[in-house]
Amino acid sequence: MLPEPDKRSVVLIVDDEPEILVALTDLLEDTYEVLPASSGERGLALLKERPDVAVIVSDQRMPGMTGDVFLARARLLSSAGAILLTGYADITAVEAALNQGQISFFAYKPWDDETLLSMVGQAASRYRLEKELQCEQLLLRGLLDNLPFGLAFKEQSGRFIRLNSQMAQQFGRSVDACVGHTEEELVDATRLDSLKGAERVLNSSGRDQQILQLAGPDGQARWHDLTRVRLDGAPDGTPPAGASALENYSILIDRDVTDLLAMEQRLRQAEKMQAIGTLAGGIAHDFNNLLTAILGSLELVMDLEPPKEPGVSRLFHNALEAARRGGALTQKLLDFSRPRHLVCQQVDLRNLMASLQSFMTQGKVPDEIQAVLGAAALSSSSRISTVQFDIPSTPLPVVWTDATQLELAVFNLCVNALDAQPEGGATTVSVRQANRPLGLTGSATHGEAWVVVQVMDRGVGMTEEMQARIFDPFFTTKGIGQGTGLGLSMIYGFISHCGGEVRVESVPGGGTSIELWLPAMVEERAPVTPVRSVRSGQATPQALPPVQHGETILVVDDEPGVRAVTAGFLRRAGYDVLESASGAEALSVIGDKPGIALVVMDVMMPGMNGDEVARRLHEVRPELPVLFVTGYADLALLPEGVTVLHKPYTRDALLGDVRAMLAA
C-alpha cells in the first residue's frame, strides 16, 4: 500500500529496559508514531498487528531473544528499516546482522540523539520510497497483464526484457520462454519479413506501424496492428535527458484489430444502406406515381377497349405484369431501407425453428412465403426437405421480433444455400445462445445475451469482394434472371430494425455461413399490434358491399396522371368523383360540398401534405373517412388508426379499401 503523505511514519521500539523505552519514546514521539515493546516476542506480535511499521529500533542484548535474532524473524513479517542498538561487546553479532541485510544502521549505547534521529529519518524515507516503488511496480504489472493487446519491451540487443501474456500468446510461448530472446527467434516467415521492413523505418524515424494478416496459434488468420517505437528520442527527434541510458531500447505493441475492422466494415455497410435508403425514399414517390399511372391506365384501357387480337392482348398483359413487378421491386427496396410495419412479439426460436423444420421436411412452402419469394420458393420446394436442423433441447431466451419475417428470412437463406450447391450438399440450420462478442454493434439495451440462427452450406462460397456487396440492393451471385438481389437486403434491414446483426463467413469453394444475431429479451413486453391498416396495393378484395347510389368521393393528388387513373377507377365502379390537385384546393372543395362521403388522398404533396390536410378537414368534418395513398411515407408521421394503400395499386385493391371504408 502506498503510504499516506500526511500520515506520520510508525516506529517500533524493542528493549527490555523500561527506562530505555521511555527515553527513546521521548526522543521520537514528536516526529513519529511510536510503538514500544519490552521483548522480541511482543515486537513480533505488534508487527503482525501493524503492517505499516516503517522503522524498527531494537536493542541487541535482550533475554530470551537477542536483537539480531528478533530482526531476522521480523524481516519475514515486514520490510521496515532496522536499527540495532548495541554495546561494544555485541559488535560481532551486529556485523553479522549488517552483512546479512537484517539491519540498515547500528548505534552504540549511549546513543547520540542527533545521529539516531538521522538514522531513523533515513530509514523511514527509504521505507516510504520502497513502498512507493512497490506500488508503482504493482500498478505497472497489473496494467501490463490486463492490457487488451500485446506489449513488450526490448533492450539494446533486441532481446525482450518485459512482455505480457497477450504478446507471448502471439509467439505461441509462455512469458518466461520469450524473455531473453529476440523477436527474430520467435516469429514465423511472414512476420519476419515485416520485421525487417519495420527495423529500417524504425532506425530512420523512430516509429513504425504495420497492419498485417497473421495466423494465430490456432491457425486462424486475424488482422494485427503492429507498432514499434524507439525510446531514445522525442517525437520531434530531440533526444530527451538521459537518452544515452535508453539508447536502442524499444517498445512493441501488437493489437488484434480483426473485430475492429469488421465493426468498421459493418458501419460502412450501415452507412451505405442508409444512403441508399435515403436515395430510394427520394425517388420512390415519383417512381411509384409513374407506375401507378402506367398500371392504372393499362387497366382502364383494357376495360374500355379490350384488345381483339391475341397478340395485342398478350402485350397488354405483359405491360401490366411488368408494372406490377416494378411496384413489387420498389416495395422490397424500401423494406430494407426503412422500418417495416413489423408485428413484433416475444418469440421462442426453438418453437419457431421446429415449426419451420416441420413443413420443410415435408417439402411444403407456405402461401405467405410463396407470395414473397415467388418462383424461387416454388423451384426449391422439392429440395427444401434436405435441409438439416440442429435445434437445442434446452430452453433458449426469447427474442423480440416479427416471427413471420424471421421465418421468411431463414427460408430465404436456405433457398440461397441450396442454390449454392447445384450438385447437392449439406445445408444445416442451427440455433444457439451466445454472449455478445467484441465488435457487435447491436443495441446495448438488450444486455449481453444473444440468440443466433445460423444457416450453413458447403457450396461454392464467395470471395471477399462478393461478401462486401451481398447486402447491396440488386446485387446477386445468381445468374441473370434467377434473382432480384433484394432478398439479403431485406434480411439485413429486418434484422437491423430488430436490434440485431447479420454475420457472414465464406470461403471460395468452402461454403458459406450466415448468422442472424438477435438480442435476447431482458424484460417482458406487450405484443405490438398494428395500429394502421396497410395494403400493398396488389391484393384482391374479398366479398365487398355493392356501390351505393349517389356516393361522392374526393380524389386529392398533385400528380395529374395518378389522379386521372384513381378517378377513372372510381367512376368506372359507379361513384361520383371530384378531383383536387392540392391540399388547399381539397379543403375548399370539402367546405363547398357537404355530400362527400370519402377522401382518397396522396400523402406527399407540395405545400400541404396529406396528414396536415386530414387534420384540418377533420376539424370541420371529424366523421369524414380518409384513405391515404402513398409511394413512400413514414407511417409514424400519420395519425393512428388510418388506412394506407401503397402505390402502385390495382383497381381491385383501391376499390376494396374504398368499399370497406364506406361500409364501416
Side-chain angles (χ1 to χ4, degrees), residues 230-247:
R230 199 175 60 211
L231 296 179
D232 57 350
D236 60 358
T238 304
S244 58
L246 297 175
E247 185 177 0

Side-chain angles (χ1 to χ4, degrees), residues 44-349:
L44 294 175
L46 286 175
L47 284 176
K48 293 179 181 179
E49 296 174 5
R50 295 294 299 269
D52 58 338
V53 170
V55 182
I56 302 173
V57 180
S58 174
D59 185 25
Q60 166 60 18
R61 182 173 295 180
M62 295 184 293
M65 184 185 301
T66 59
D68 58 325
V69 174
F70 160 69
L71 291 175
R73 295 177 62 180
R75 185 61 62 200
L76 302 176
L77 301 175
S78 172
S79 60
I83 301 173
L84 193 61
L85 297 178
T86 180
Y88 289 103
D90 306 315
I91 192 62
T92 302
V94 172
E95 289 177 351
L98 186 63
N99 292 333
Q100 294 170 11
Q102 297 171 3
I103 62 174
S104 303
F105 304 100
F106 70 92
Y108 292 111
K109 292 182 179 179
W111 59 84
D112 178 72
D113 288 352
E114 294 297 329
T115 301
L116 185 58
L117 284 173
S118 176
M119 291 180 180
V120 172
Q122 292 181 56
S125 296
R126 181 174 179 177
Y127 174 82
R128 177 181 289 274
L129 289 175
E130 288 178 349
K131 285 301 180 183
E132 290 177 350
L133 180 60
Q134 290 175 7
C135 180
E136 294 295 334
Q137 290 177 333
L138 179 62
L139 293 176
L140 291 175
R141 174 53 61 184
L143 176 63
L144 188 66
D145 291 340
N146 291 282
L147 286 172
F149 51 82
L151 178 63
F153 298 89
K154 298 180 181 179
E155 61 176 1
Q156 298 97 321
S157 64
R159 299 185 183 278
F160 289 114
I161 55 175
R162 295 284 191 280
L163 73 161
N164 60 7
S165 58
Q166 293 88 330
M167 181 66 76
Q169 287 174 2
Q170 300 303 323
F171 301 130
R173 304 190 183 192
S174 66
V175 172
D176 292 338
C178 295
V179 172
H181 291 276
T182 64
E183 189 174 355
E184 291 87 341
E185 296 171 346
L186 302 176
V187 300
D188 57 16
T190 302
R191 193 155 175 166
L192 184 59
D193 291 340
S194 72
L195 175 61
K196 293 178 180 178
E199 288 178 340
R200 290 192 295 268
V201 177
L202 194 64
N203 292 331
S204 60
S205 65
R207 180 183 176 88
D208 176 72
Q209 184 174 16
Q210 298 177 337
I211 295 181
L212 304 173
Q213 191 174 33
L214 304 172
D218 58 356
Q220 183 179 4
R222 297 184 68 84
W223 289 97
H224 291 258
D225 180 348
L226 300 178
T227 302
R228 294 175 172 86
V229 181
R230 199 175 60 211
L231 296 179
D232 57 350
D236 60 358
T238 304
S244 58
L246 297 175
E247 185 177 0
N248 291 329
Y249 276 69
S250 62
I251 299 175
L252 171 62
I253 302 172
D254 185 341
R255 291 193 304 147
D256 187 330
V257 294
T258 306
D259 293 322
L260 178 61
L261 293 177
M263 186 163 54
E264 290 178 352
Q265 182 180 4
R266 287 192 292 273
L267 178 59
R268 289 194 297 269
Q269 179 73 23
E271 291 174 343
K272 180 171 62 176
M273 295 298 100
Q274 183 178 8
I276 295 176
T278 302
L279 176 63
I283 66 173
H285 179 262
D286 292 338
F287 186 62
N288 279 326
N289 279 338
L290 294 175
L291 287 174
T292 301
I294 294 171
L295 183 61
S297 297
L298 289 172
E299 287 194 86
L300 286 172
V301 170
M302 291 285 287
D303 288 343
L304 294 172
E305 189 66 32
K308 297 179 181 179
E309 296 184 13
V312 175
S313 177
R314 185 172 63 254
L315 292 175
F316 263 88
H317 285 292
N318 286 344
L320 283 169
E321 182 60 26
R324 293 190 182 104
R325 290 176 60 191
L329 287 175
T330 305
Q331 188 59 47
K332 288 181 179 180
L333 180 60
L334 295 177
D335 281 343
F336 100 92
S337 64
R338 65 178 181 182
R340 296 175 53 89
H341 190 68
L342 302 175
V343 182
C344 291
Q345 57 187 334
Q346 299 180 35
V347 176
D348 185 336
L349 287 187

Side-chain angles (χ1 to χ4, degrees), residues 422-436:
E423 304 300 326
T427 300
T428 59
V429 178
S430 62
V431 187
R432 71 179 190 276
Q433 183 177 351
N435 293 326
R436 183 186 185 94

Side-chain angles (χ1 to χ4, degrees), residues 556-597:
V556 187
D557 201 302
D558 62 299
E559 285 289 334
V562 177
R563 190 171 65 250
V565 165
T566 305
F569 283 154
L570 295 173
R571 289 193 179 101
R572 292 284 296 172
Y575 296 102
D576 294 331
V577 181
L578 301 174
E579 300 181 36
S580 294
S582 67
E585 182 181 338
L587 292 175
S588 177
V589 172
I590 290 172
D592 296 336
K593 303 289 185 179
I596 295 175

